[in-house]
Amino acid sequence: MRFEGKSALVTGAAGGIGQVLVAMLRAEGAKVAVSDRDSSAIEADAHIDGNLLDPAFCDALPGKVAEALGGLDIICNNAGVITRGDITETSDDDYNLTMGVNVQAPFQICRAAIPLMAEAGGGAIVNTSSCWGLRPGSNHPLYVMSKAAIASLTQCLGRDHAHQGIRVNAVCPNEVNTPMLRTGFAMRGYDPDKAVDELNKTVPIGHIAEPEEIADVILFLASDASRYMCGALVEVNGGKPVT
Ligand code: NAD
């Protein structure tokens, strides 16, 4: 029960990693506020839904969580979108969507949360970047730059707010078996099960990550076991780094 007495916010809570993360945090004693476009199917201690592209929603979200749960100790900025295609195939709308959800929303949520956490004596923020935020994969420049930006923000905040007892770190997964990955295969005309089977063969440990394997690392970064880690970018890749 590492999170007994702790209050947490999880964004993207209705997604593949988000759902598992919420269940695992609650199983270890945390009170969890969930946020997504529609999180009504997710069991949680508070539901604060909205569109992360709405700046006013993001600015208000940490305060609403603190009010609903009586505090805010942990934030998992997990929501994300992926935009595929090279730069010539990428529209301004794609840019605004991807940078809005993957960068601006966590930027605003961190900015609003840090004073609350500082006043309470500290906290832990875990952002979700990607191994593509560390080294680019091909033909996804917008997603890659958004994940590099959240990685960089994590390093900056990890350094700037450690003195307030606020630890900011990021998890950087390679492929994870979630709707984000599977719908991408379906959109390109592949059977998602067959495509995942093929992808599994490319990972030295034998399979792409299941959401639990990423959530376990997020829980570690949110817990006191990582109490000396500030601004770390933790790659979780089953032995398959992007080169
Ligand atoms: P997912 O698509 O299953 O879940 C993402 C969630 O974010 C969804 O529930 C979605 O509704 C929510 N969301 C998106 N835009 C939103 C908006 N405007 N307002 C509110 N909520 C919004 O994806 P996932 O695989 O669980 O991804 C979780 C995180 O992990 C993302 O940041 C993603 O970039 C990252 N990641 C995923 C993979 C992978 O292979 N699946 C790899 C590396 C990193």
Side-chain angles (χ1 to χ4, degrees):
M1 298 297 272
R2 285 178 290 180
F3 302 107
E4 194 74 63
K6 302 283 187 193
S7 299
L9 163 66
V10 176
T11 69
I17 296 172
Q19 290 191 30
V20 169
L21 189 52
V22 171
M24 287 169 65
L25 280 165
R26 295 186 84 227
E28 292 209 49
K31 281 188 287 178
V32 181
V34 291
S35 187
D36 207 302
R37 283 179 288 222
D38 177 7
S39 68
S40 53
I42 311 299
E43 265 188 55
D45 302 282
H47 293 77
I48 307 174
D49 283 348
N51 186 351
L52 291 173
L53 292 173
D54 174 359
F57 175 73
C58 295
D59 281 342
L61 187 55
K64 285 187 180 168
V65 175
E67 202 179 302
L69 300 182
L72 179 57
D73 306 293
I74 295 163
I75 294 182
C76 302
N77 277 314
N78 161 74
V81 291
I82 190 162
T83 325
R84 301 177 194 281
D86 74 23
I87 194 167
T88 66
E89 300 164 305
T90 305
S91 68
D92 289 353
D93 285 348
D94 292 334
Y95 183 94
N96 292 330
L97 169 70
T98 305
M99 296 303 280
V101 175
N102 294 2
V103 185
Q104 187 175 343
F107 178 92
Q108 290 187 256
I109 291 168
C110 289
R111 187 178 60 191
I114 282 170
L116 302 177
M117 288 179 161
E119 202 182 325
I125 298 176
V126 186
N127 294 323
T128 299
S129 176
S130 164
C131 65
W132 282 5
L134 304 175
R135 291 174 299 279
S138 51
N139 289 317
H140 292 70
L142 182 50
Y143 182 73
V144 166
M145 76 189 246
S146 75
K147 290 301 183 180
I150 191 67
S152 178
L153 180 69
T154 300
Q155 291 176 307
C156 295
L157 302 188
R159 172 179 293 193
D160 291 348
H161 298 285
H163 73 100
Q164 293 163 303
I166 301 168
R167 299 184 307 100
V168 187
N169 294 292
V171 65
C172 303
N174 203 334
E175 296 111 345
V176 192
N177 191 7
T178 71
M180 178 179 277
L181 185 93
R182 300 177 72 87
T183 54
F185 284 131
M187 275 164 52
R188 283 172 279 164
Y190 301 113
D191 175 275
D193 286 333
K194 285 190 186 144
V196 167
D197 283 348
E198 285 306 307
L199 205 50
N200 285 340
K201 295 177 192 160
T202 69
V203 186
I205 210 162
H207 63 91
I208 65 167
E210 290 300 325
E212 289 77 2
E213 289 166 318
I214 305 305
D216 264 331
V217 178
I218 296 174
L219 260 63
F220 165 68
L221 293 173
S223 77
D224 287 346
S226 63
R227 61 195 169 277
Y228 203 66
M229 293 176 74
C230 303
L233 308 177
V234 181
E235 190 168 0
V236 187
N237 63 20
K240 182 185 173 186
V242 177
T243 51

